[in-house]
Amino acid sequence: MTTRQSDVATQGGAIGKPALAVLAIMAMVGAWLLLDEDAGQGLKKKAELKTMEIIGDAAARRLDFGEDGEGTHGSAVDLIKRPIEVRQISDNAYYATGVGNTILIKTDEGNVIFDTGLVLQAAKQLKLLKEVSDAPVRYIVLSHSHADHIGGTRFWQEKGTEILAHGDFLEEQRYLSQLEPYQYGRNRTLFPWMPAWEDRPDIEMMRYGGVQPTITVADWETYTFSLGGIEFQVIGAPGAEGADNAVLWLPQEKILFTGDFFGPQFPQFPNVFTMRGEKIRKPMEYVKSLNLLLALEPEVVVPSHLNPTRGADEIRAGMVRIRDAVQYVHDETVAGMNAGKSVYELMQEIELPPHLELVQNHGRVDWAVRSIWDYYATWFHFESTTELYPVPARDVYSDLAEVAGTEGLLSLAQNYLNQDQPVKSLHVLEVALAGDPSNPAALGLRRQALELLMVKAENGLRNDYEIYWLKHRLADTEARLGDEAL
Ligand SMILES: [Zn+2]
């Protein structure tokens, strides 16, 4: 593991240098172009795009795709493995694939872009879509402020291009920018292909943020415009992946461009909670948004990840199921809270009934239960005085380990493993490892507990984030065991 990391770092450095050299040239070209503002703009953008493409290619070569070659099951964390190519949706709509799709809708009076993908892939996506149509970009509609949806915006934007987004877009972008260092590490654990923080292309034009909408829509409001005889409706649809979700609806063609409103797949249980740690998501707003979108009766749903879904009946059935599943989990959580049950009891008890079953590889029901609880009741669960003070249980673990003795703790951890209770085993091992952080027997048991959880995860819900988290913890355990062996 250690060897592999250093390989990646060396490789990164080797590729990083030419990219930086190119950048320096571009900066010089940029300065020269300032002499002639108007003529310069187009050339400057071209130069920037070329730089972006080189850096994007360099980054792609450095990405850690893992050893298995294939992803867990073609969902969010594996999107980096998609080729970048253009596909057609309808007579006048196309999308460039990638981690996030960039969608282009042609009209006789210019083009509309919906979402602009990941910054590392933006130059390639733009180049391919410009081959479909090089007409002026009249509108850019952004589904929300996440980095995988707005990365290419400044390169698509031309003089006079309107940028349409939800009214909360700027606020979401603000907090995501401010918390970027905090979130980056978490994101990288869950999306291991991301470059390390110190290896990321840290140049101004590739940084997150700085997108300024010129037109905004509020929650459940519609902004309508026409272009080349085509009607476009942008609808504020909060409650999904952030407070600033907007969707684009083409009423004549009955195509709904959904961004992340449904998550990367359709249908699936939505990510009411996100493991990387974002603001709480609001399930009842999501239900309200779903009802609004159901009334449109879409015939094609085009998400900003993966591929479109076609067929009014299939789409309707999927949307109804998602809506009813979220409503069910919400209502059961609230009923349990009112009945005096603990959040942990409810996480164990609440399951989707068979007629509402949905895949949970993105969002998970038990995590949604906890998130709904926290949304309404925040962090004090009224269970222990200790919850109120900044003294966590782990502060007494090393003393506890000394009193209990390593031998007793390890045999208890082993017993829990034998009883197929890996989480209880991990609790005990946290105590044991607090007393003796490099104890090989404790680390060995931790590896067994994590492996057991991994087997359950892979044979159960196959939730991506759980699997990548467990992989990360297993790697950490292996590394600590490896250090011990030296
Ligand atoms: Zn996304």
Side-chain angles (χ1 to χ4, degrees), residues 169-242:
F169 180 97
L170 280 178
E171 168 55 14
E172 295 291 295
Q173 190 178 235
R174 178 201 63 77
Y175 102 84
L176 290 170
S177 298
Q178 286 195 330
L179 282 169
E180 199 185 2
Y182 161 86
Q183 283 198 335
Y184 197 94
R186 289 170 160 229
N187 266 322
R188 200 167 174 259
T189 299
L190 304 173
F191 301 90
W193 47 264
M194 284 172 65
W197 174 256
E198 55 282 3
D199 289 337
R200 77 198 190 287
D202 188 26
I203 53 169
E204 182 62 32
M205 66 179 178
M206 294 183 85
R207 278 193 198 127
Y208 174 75
V211 175
Q212 198 74 33
T214 56
I215 302 169
T216 59
V217 280
D219 290 347
W220 308 300
E221 280 186 9
T222 302
Y223 179 87
T224 305
F225 63 93
S226 281
L227 206 61
I230 299 176
E231 191 178 321
F232 294 82
Q233 295 185 353
V234 179
I235 305 167
E241 310 240 340

